Amino acid sequence: MASSAKQWTPKEAEEWTREDTIAVVISPLVYILLMLGTALSFMLRPIGFVALAAGVALLVVLVRVIDPKLSAVSKGYELRQKQYIEDLERAVKWEG
Amino acid sequence: MVVFTFLDWFWLVAFIVLMIGSGALFYRLGKRSESDFFLAGRGLPWWLPASSVYATHTATDTPMWVSGVVYRHGLAGLWYGFFAAWCAVSAFVSTKIFRRSLAYTQAEWQSLRYGGMSGELLRGWVAGWQVFLNMFILGWVGIAMGKVCFFLFGWPTWIGLVLFSSLCAVYVLAAGFWGVVMADFQQGIIAFVAIVFVSIWGIHAAGGPQTIVDKLAALGETSKLNPFAFTGFTTGDFPVAWFVTMIVIGVIGGFGMATAIDWFPEAQRIQSARSVKDASWSIWAGQALVVTRNAIWAAAILAFFTLYPNLSEVKDYEMAWFRLGFETLPAGMIGFFFAAIVAIHLSTISTHLNLGAVYITRDLYHHYVNPKAGERRLVLVGRVGTLVLLAGSFVFGSIMENITEWLIFALWIMAAGVWLPGILQVVWWRFNGWGYLSAWVFNLVFSWLVVWVLPAFGVLPHLRDYQQFWLLMILGAAVFIPVTFATKPEDMDRLVKFYVMSRPVGWWGPVRREAERRGLI
C-alpha cells in the first residue's frame, strides 16, 4: 500500500487523517474475524479458516497503515515527555 | 471430589513457586519509587502490558460466564464478550490521548481535564469508587476460587478465598506492579496453553469436530454453530437490537474514556508502556487475545453441549469448561489443569490488589493527605493499601452470595448513563466537569428508577437490558447537556495545556485556535 511507505513527521502525524479512519474501521473487523474464525476453525468449518485468514490479512494491512504514524507520534511526544512528567507532578498537587 | 496423584501435586507446587517467585524477584525494582510500584517505571515494551491485559481478564469466573452464554446461545453467545471491541478503536484514539496525559489513573486524569471544585470532586469520586470496586471484584473472584476448591477438594469456600489471595499478595506487596506484570506474563502463557490443550482434549473426548457438528444436527441445534442466529429484531433471546447495541457500546465507546469497566485496569497498563506506540499495541493485542480465547472456549463448550445437552440449571452448565478438564484429562494432568486455574486466578487478583492501591496512594494519600511525601513513604502507603484491599476482599467474599445482584447493578450503571459523557469528555472541548459530575449523580438516580423502582410500581414495564441502556442514555443527556451549557466552560489555559499535551480528537476548534495563537502547536 502506498500509505505504508509514507514517512510521517511528528507534526503531520498529530493530525487525524485517512489512515486513522481506516484503522478504526479495520480494527474491530479484525477482532470479529479472529474471534469467529478461531471458533469455527476449531469445528473444522471451511468458513472458519477463510475468516481466520481474512483476519490475519487485515491485521497486516492495519499494521502497515497505522504503525508508521504511531511511530512518528511516539517519537515526537517522547522528546517532551520528561518535561510533561515534571509538569504533571506540579499540576496535580492538592492546594486546598 | 478429585483425587490428586503425586504428579498432580508436583505441577501445582512447582507452578505456585514459579508464579510467586517470578513476581517477588522484582522486589528491588518495585520499591524504588511510586512510579515503579504502580507503573513499573513507565518502561515496558508492548508485549508485557499486553500479556497483563489478557491475563487480568482471564479470571476464575470467566470460563463459567463464557460457558453459560455459549451453552445457551451457541456461538452467538460470543457477542456477549464483544464489548472488548472498545479496545480495537481505543488503541488508536483514546489510548493515545490517555497515555500522553501521563495520569497514573483515570481519577488523576479528571483533574487534568477539569479544573476547580468539579475536577476535585470528580477525582475524589472516581478514586473512592475504584477502591470500593476493586475490593468488590477481589471478593467476587476470590469466592469463585473458593467454589472451585470446594468442587475439587471439598474445602470450605473461605479456604480457597483466603489461601490463594494471600499467596498472591506476597509478590504484589514485595514488587508492586513489577511483580504483577512479570507474573502475569508467565501466568498468561500457562493459562493460554491450558485453555488450548483442555479445549482440544474436550473436543476430542466428544468425538471430534465432525461428530460434534453431526450431533448438533441430530439434536436440532445446528443454529448453535451460527454466530448470527438472531431470534428477531426485538424478540427472543438474541434480538438484532441487542446485538446492535452491543456493537455500538463497544466500537463507539472506544473513542471515549471510562466507557467500559475494563478501562480502569487498562489505564494502568497504558501508562506502564514505554511509549505511546507501545501503549496502543499493548491494548490492541491484549484484548485480541481475549476475544480469541473466548472463541477457543466456545468450541469446547459446544463439545460439552453434545455430551450433556439437557442441563437446565445455570450452576450445572456454567461449570462446563471446568468439567471438561476434570472429567476427561488423564491422571497426572489434573494438577497441571488446576495449576493453570491458579494462574488464571492469581493474575486477576494481583491486578486488582495493585490497582486499588494506586487509587489509595496516588489519588487519596498523595493528592489530599501528604502531597510532599517522599518515594519511600509512597511505596509504604502502596503496601498498606494493598493489605487493606486484601482484608476488604475477605469481608466482601464472605457475604458475596447476598450482594452479587448489587454488584451486577453497580457494573451496569457504570456502563449505561456515563457511557456518552465518557466519550464527550474526550471529543468535545465544551463538555465540563459539572456536566460529567451531574451525569454520574443522576445516573445513580435514574438507574434505580428505571431498573427497579418504576417497574415495581407498574409505572414502567420491565425493560430488556439494551432498552434500559438507551433509555438511561437519553435521560442522562437530558440532564448533563443543560448542566454543561448552564455552567462555565473549563478555563482556557487548562484546556490549551491539556490539548497541546494530549491532542484529543473531535470538536476542539476554539482550543486549537488558541493554542496556535500562542504558538504552542
Side-chain angles (χ1 to χ4, degrees):
Chain A
M1 289 184 71
S3 56
S4 67
K6 183 170 172 116
Q7 296 294 309
W8 296 89
T9 65
K11 194 173 163 66
E12 285 172 338
E14 296 286 6
E15 303 300 326
W16 183 272
T17 62
R18 171 174 79 107
E19 283 76 7
D20 296 288
T21 306
I22 293 169
V24 298
V25 171
I26 286 181
S27 182
L29 288 177
V30 176
Y31 271 28
I32 290 172
L33 289 167
L34 291 180
M35 181 176 78
L36 300 185
T38 302
L40 290 166
S41 294
F42 267 72
M43 291 288 107
L44 298 183
R45 301 290 90 190
I47 187 71
F49 295 110
V50 172
L52 205 50
V56 172
L58 272 182
L59 174 57
V60 172
V61 173
L62 177 68
V63 172
R64 289 173 65 110
V65 166
I66 202 67
D67 194 64
K69 198 172 179 199
L70 279 175
S71 296
V73 169
S74 272
K75 199 174 162 188
Y77 178 78
E78 271 121 44
L79 293 172
R80 304 189 298 272
Q81 178 165 302
K82 191 174 172 220
Q83 182 60 46
Y84 282 148
I85 288 177
E86 287 169 10
D87 289 349
L88 174 79
E89 294 301 329
R90 275 197 299 275
V92 298
K93 293 271 192 274
W94 170 252
E95 291 166 2
Chain B
M1 282 186 30
V2 173
V3 177
F4 269 34
T5 63
F6 172 78
L7 190 57
D8 292 318
W9 285 114
F10 168 79
W11 283 118
L12 180 58
V13 173
F15 276 28
I16 286 176
V17 169
L18 178 70
M19 284 184 264
I20 295 173
S22 66
L25 269 179
F26 290 86
Y27 166 72
R28 285 183 181 281
L29 292 180
K31 71 173 185 175
R32 288 189 306 195
S33 65
E34 186 183 30
S35 164
D36 278 289
F37 197 77
F38 292 119
L39 300 177
R42 299 184 189 271
L44 300 178
W46 69 270
W47 46 272
L48 272 172
S51 63
S52 186
V53 166
Y54 161 73
T56 293
H57 297 307
T58 308
T60 329
D61 65 324
T62 320
M64 295 182 193
W65 178 69
V66 174
S67 295
V69 293
V70 173
Y71 190 92
R72 278 202 307 274
H73 304 292
L75 295 187
L78 282 170
W79 297 112
Y80 280 85
F82 202 65
F83 56 81
W86 72 266
C87 284
V89 174
S90 170
F92 309 114
V93 187
S94 52
T95 291
K96 281 195 300 182
I97 296 165
F98 182 68
R99 173 61 179 76
R100 294 171 60 133
S101 77
L102 295 169
Y104 274 62
T105 63
Q106 272 290 301
E108 185 166 84
W109 192 81
Q110 303 299 316
S111 56
L112 297 174
R113 170 66 176 81
Y114 308 115
M117 183 58 79
S118 62
E120 289 303 331
L121 287 172
L122 278 165
R123 183 171 188 171
W125 159 253
V126 174
W129 166 252
Q130 279 299 301
V131 171
F132 162 77
L133 198 62
N134 278 289
M135 210 179 272
F136 219 124
I137 292 170
L138 285 164
W140 183 9
V141 177
I143 204 64
M145 191 62 180
K147 287 176 182 173
V148 170
C149 290
F150 174 76
F151 172 75
L152 283 177
F153 309 117
W155 296 350
T157 50
W158 69 266
I159 294 181
L161 165 70
V162 172
L163 175 65
F164 292 102
S165 294
S166 301
L167 283 172
C168 185
V170 171
Y171 65 82
V172 181
L173 282 166
F177 192 68
W178 276 107
V180 174
V181 81
M182 291 303 174
D184 274 359
F185 178 63
Q186 50 93 5
Q187 286 160 1
I189 293 171
I190 293 168
F192 202 84
V193 168
I195 288 166
V196 172
F197 180 76
V198 173
S199 298
I200 290 175
W201 195 274
I203 290 167
H204 175 71
Q210 191 55 51
T211 306
I212 292 167
V213 172
D214 293 342
K215 280 187 182 173
L216 286 172
L219 290 164
E221 296 280 3
T222 308
S223 64
K224 282 201 157 42
L225 283 168
N226 179 6
F228 300 100
F230 300 117
T231 52
F233 188 76
T234 57
T235 53
D237 286 345
F238 187 54
V240 173
W242 176 90
F243 174 76
V244 171
T245 303
M246 175 60 85
I247 295 292
V248 168
I249 290 173
V251 174
I252 307 297
F255 286 88
M257 284 186 200
T259 50
I261 201 74
D262 291 351
W263 235 107
F264 300 91
E266 257 74 320
Q268 193 183 21
R269 278 133 195 86
I270 288 167
Q271 292 300 358
S272 72
R274 67 183 169 193
S275 70
V276 175
K277 177 178 160 177
D278 284 88
S280 291
W281 285 121
S282 70
I283 293 305
W284 193 94
Q287 287 285 10
L289 277 172
V290 167
V291 296
T292 308
R293 172 211 68 194
N294 287 351
I296 298 169
W297 267 334
I301 305 315
L302 288 181
F304 180 85
F305 179 82
T306 62
L307 293 171
Y308 304 97
N310 297 316
L311 302 178
S312 56
E313 294 289 321
V314 178
K315 66 181 173 53
D316 292 329
Y317 60 73
E318 74 177 6
M319 293 298 281
W321 188 70
F322 289 123
R323 285 184 61 182
L324 269 185
F326 288 121
E327 291 176 9
T328 65
L329 286 173
M333 291 307 291
I334 300 289
F336 170 78
F337 183 42
F338 184 64
I341 293 170
V342 173
I344 284 170
H345 181 65
L346 297 193
S347 61
T348 306
I349 294 292
S350 62
T351 285
H352 290 287
L353 282 173
N354 190 253
L355 182 62
V358 70
Y359 285 95
I360 290 174
T361 308
R362 179 74 179 176
D363 294 301
L364 298 177
Y365 180 80
H366 195 185
H367 185 56
Y368 294 117
V369 180
N370 187 358
K372 291 180 180 160
E375 298 294 345
R376 233 176 125 177
R377 169 59 67 95
L378 292 169
V379 171
L380 176 66
V381 173
R383 287 180 170 142
V384 171
T386 305
L387 283 173
V388 168
L389 283 149
L390 182 68
S393 76
F394 296 156
V395 175
F396 280 127
S398 64
I399 56 174
M400 193 54 73
E401 293 290 345
N402 304 323
I403 51 183
T404 297
E405 194 182 349
W406 285 80
L407 177 61
I408 292 167
F409 177 72
L411 296 177
W412 175 238
I413 63 171
M414 276 290 296
V418 293
W419 177 82
L420 183 57
I423 297 169
L424 291 178
Q425 64 177 342
V426 175
V427 303
W428 186 30
W429 75 277
R430 182 61 180 81
F431 192 62
N432 65 13
W434 293 114
Y436 196 39
L437 197 60
S438 67
W440 273 102
V441 171
F442 279 88
N443 185 46
L444 284 169
V445 177
F446 288 145
S447 51
W448 269 82
L449 290 173
V450 168
V451 177
W452 280 336
V453 179
L454 296 181
F457 286 98
V459 179
L460 195 72
H462 283 282
L463 299 173
R464 313 257 320 239
D465 51 4
Y466 70 89
Q467 293 169 324
Q468 289 172 352
F469 173 83
W470 291 112
L471 180 58
L472 286 170
M473 197 184 82
I474 291 165
L475 289 173
V479 172
F480 66 72
I481 289 179
V483 168
T484 298
F485 282 115
T487 48
K488 288 181 183 172
E490 295 298 331
D491 175 60
M492 187 53 85
D493 285 344
R494 171 178 293 274
L495 290 175
V496 166
K497 198 170 182 181
F498 173 76
Y499 183 83
V500 171
M501 189 172 172
S502 298
R503 297 306 293 266
V505 298
W507 295 274
W508 286 82
V511 182
R512 182 189 172 109
R513 285 191 288 278
E514 180 62 19
E516 286 171 340
R517 192 185 68 76
R518 296 183 188 186
L520 296 172
I521 56 174

